[in-house]
Amino acid sequence: MLSRLAATLVPAVGRLTVSADPEAELAPGSILVANHTSLADPAVVLAALYRLGVEPVVMAAAGLWRVPVLGRALAREGHIPVHRNDPRAAEALDTAAAALGQGRLVLIYAEGGLPLRKDVREEAPEAFRSGLSRLARRSGAPVVPVGQAGSRRVTSGGVAKQWAGLATAPLRRPELHVHVGMPLAPEGDGAVLTSRAHGAVTAAWRTAATRLGEPAVLASRAP
């Protein structure tokens, strides 16, 4: 239901386009790792993946399960609460590994949180935490990099600006793009796998941001 809801709502607030590398594959039991820049980007990524025929379970902050209606929907559909800085944090990896073993695709945000900056500019993904590599090495699941750009044009900044952005997005219709890269085998030690995954997500993000004509990304590619 969450993926179908995102697929319905996102086109109402922006113009979403999707692309993929020729070698991209969304096989059952894969880990999807995406860059995280805005409260809007989980919906953007889910809407894009739905177009590609995929409805993953999402690893997300446990606080969302306390939101009325949303919390019940998340629990009912098997999404995975992450209790950060809590003894229960390891339970999320156990649950995710079990979902992968059942052939589900699991979407993880390896940066572990949102950037603190307030403007709408695009920037490369921040450093990844170790949870992604631990999950991949434990499960043996391939890691599929997903890059998204444009969601900060929907919501970013402080609370008032977030609400204003969301309210005006249907009128502004900002461009949004999601790019799926080729899978990575879960090889190497934790640090190596984390570095490879971060590089792959950064490359996917650059492709997405370039599609939107983001000045900072275009400038970095100039001769």
Side-chain angles (χ1 to χ4, degrees), residues 12-143:
V13 300
R15 291 168 287 168
L16 174 62
T17 52
V18 184
S19 61
D21 286 347
E23 306 89 350
E25 183 180 5
L26 297 169
S30 296
I31 301 170
L32 311 174
V33 56
N35 62 308
H36 199 14
T37 63
S38 165
L39 291 173
D41 65 60
V44 172
V45 170
L46 286 177
L49 293 172
Y50 187 78
R51 290 188 185 182
L52 299 175
V54 172
E55 298 182 44
V57 295
V58 183
M59 298 182 71
L64 294 174
W65 273 251
R66 295 193 292 270
V67 178
V69 182
L70 175 61
R72 290 195 297 273
L74 291 171
R76 182 176 62 247
E77 296 180 19
H79 298 287
I80 304 167
V82 179
H83 299 271
R84 297 193 180 99
N85 304 314
D86 185 287
R88 293 172 292 174
E91 295 177 6
L93 293 183
D94 295 338
T95 306
L100 292 167
Q102 296 165 1
R104 302 295 302 272
L105 288 89
V106 174
L107 174 62
I108 183 172
Y109 287 95
E111 293 161 273
L114 290 168
L116 298 178
R117 53 193 167 83
K118 302 295 185 182
D119 57 29
V120 300
R121 74 184 188 279
E122 290 289 337
E123 284 191 355
E126 296 182 354
F128 283 2
R129 298 189 180 185
S130 64
L132 169 64
S133 64
R134 286 187 284 142
L135 177 59
R137 295 175 70 205
R138 173 177 171 177
S139 64
V143 177

Side-chain angles (χ1 to χ4, degrees), residues 19 21 124-125 147 149 177 179 199-223:
S19 61
D21 286 347
H177 192 85
H179 182 78
V201 173
T202 300
W205 162 78
R206 287 188 183 279
T207 297
T210 300
R211 291 291 186 99
L212 300 188
E214 283 291 335
V217 179
L218 295 176
S220 70
R221 294 189 170 194

Side-chain angles (χ1 to χ4, degrees), residues 162-215:
Q162 297 264 5
W163 282 109
L166 189 59
T168 61
L171 300 176
R172 295 183 289 111
R173 302 280 293 159
E175 289 185 286
L176 313 164
H177 192 85
V178 174
H179 182 78
V180 179
M182 64 179 293
L184 304 174
E187 299 170 345
D189 63 22
V192 169
L193 182 53
T194 298
S195 177
R196 289 173 58 225
H198 184 271
V201 173
T202 300
W205 162 78
R206 287 188 183 279
T207 297
T210 300
R211 291 291 186 99
L212 300 188
E214 283 291 335

